[in-house]
């Protein structure tokens, strides 16, 4: 099952069932999925509380012993800055807008660039074991296993 808040993006998914929902309140039963993936989601959430909530939801719906894959934008590589990133006034420097094209119309999309220690702190608050934590291009990639309780 795939999910996204954007109906437009869900139209591009053709390999599985999809549901429209917010990452901070997934419409699935607790411990109902063997595996969860969150790719390019949490860095679009505009507050630390919303980011923590999205990660907590991933863990909530994962069965004990199940795996979770997380991809988020990294602050470690500044290639994004050279791709037309726009700082947001009165926001921390890691909160930026990045131009994204949809057809001919450019859109400015919010991105939070995660510091390594920040992401490690969010993950440390979860009932998971971290199997790997690495950087891949502009992203942090975290593979976790939900702790058996």
């Amino acid at each position: 099952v795939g999910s996204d808040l954007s109906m437009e993006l869900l139209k591009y998914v053709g390999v599985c069932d999809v549901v429209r929902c917010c990452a901070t309140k997934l419409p699935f039963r607790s411990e109902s999925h063997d595996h969860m993936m969150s790719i390019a989601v949490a860095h679009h959430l505009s507050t630390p509380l919303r980011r923590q909530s999205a990660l907590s939801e991933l863990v909530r719906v994962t069965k004990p012993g199940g795996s979770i894959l997380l991809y988020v934008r990294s602050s470690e590589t500044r290639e994004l800055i050279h791709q037309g990133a726009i700082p947001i006034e009165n926001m921390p420097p890691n909160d930026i807008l990045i131009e994204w094209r949809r057809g001919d119309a450019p859109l400015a999309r919010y991105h939070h660039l995660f510091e390594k220690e920040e992401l490690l702190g969010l993950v440390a608050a979860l009932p998971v074991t971290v199997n790997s934590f690495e950087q891949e291009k502009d992203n942090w990639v975290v593979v976790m296993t939900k702790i058996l309780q």
Side-chain angles (χ1 to χ4, degrees):
V1 177
S3 66
D4 201 287
L5 191 57
S6 167
M7 284 303 293
E8 288 298 313
L9 289 177
L10 289 175
K11 290 177 184 178
Y12 293 102
V13 179
V15 296
C16 63
D17 293 330
V18 296
V19 63
R20 183 174 186 260
C21 65
C22 181
T24 62
K25 188 148 179 69
L26 296 174
F28 307 119
R29 291 185 325 272
S30 295
E31 301 183 349
S32 60
H33 290 74
D34 293 315
H35 310 285
M36 293 296 293
M37 293 189 316
S38 176
I39 299 175
V41 175
H43 61 247
H44 291 297
L45 303 175
S46 60
T47 67
L49 181 60
R50 293 187 77 222
R51 293 188 282 269
Q52 183 68 59
S53 178
L55 298 184
S56 294
E57 277 293 277
L58 287 173
V59 174
R60 179 187 67 79
V61 302
T62 303
K63 292 178 182 177
S67 59
I68 301 165
L69 173 66
L70 175 67
Y71 269 72
V72 296
R73 288 285 191 192
S74 166
S75 67
E76 301 294 314
T77 55
R78 296 295 177 173
E79 291 177 30
L80 293 171
I81 302 303
H82 303 293
Q83 295 176 2
I86 305 162
I88 305 172
E89 190 173 321
N90 300 320
M91 293 289 280
N94 284 2
D95 293 344
I96 60 174
L97 298 174
I98 298 175
E99 187 176 292
W100 183 66
R101 291 210 165 264
R102 184 168 160 218
D104 292 334
L107 302 171
R109 295 184 71 198
Y110 171 86
H111 284 71
H112 174 74
L113 306 180
F114 281 88
E115 300 283 345
K116 182 177 184 177
E117 294 304 317
E118 171 192 14
L119 186 55
L120 284 170
L122 290 173
V123 170
L126 301 170
V128 298
T129 300
V130 176
N131 303 321
S132 66
F133 188 107
E134 55 192 59
Q135 190 167 358
E136 181 181 286
K137 296 188 181 182
D138 293 328
N139 299 298
W140 291 119
V141 182
V142 187
V143 179
M144 303 168 270
T145 300
K146 183 173 178 178
I147 294 173
L148 300 171
Q149 298 177 346

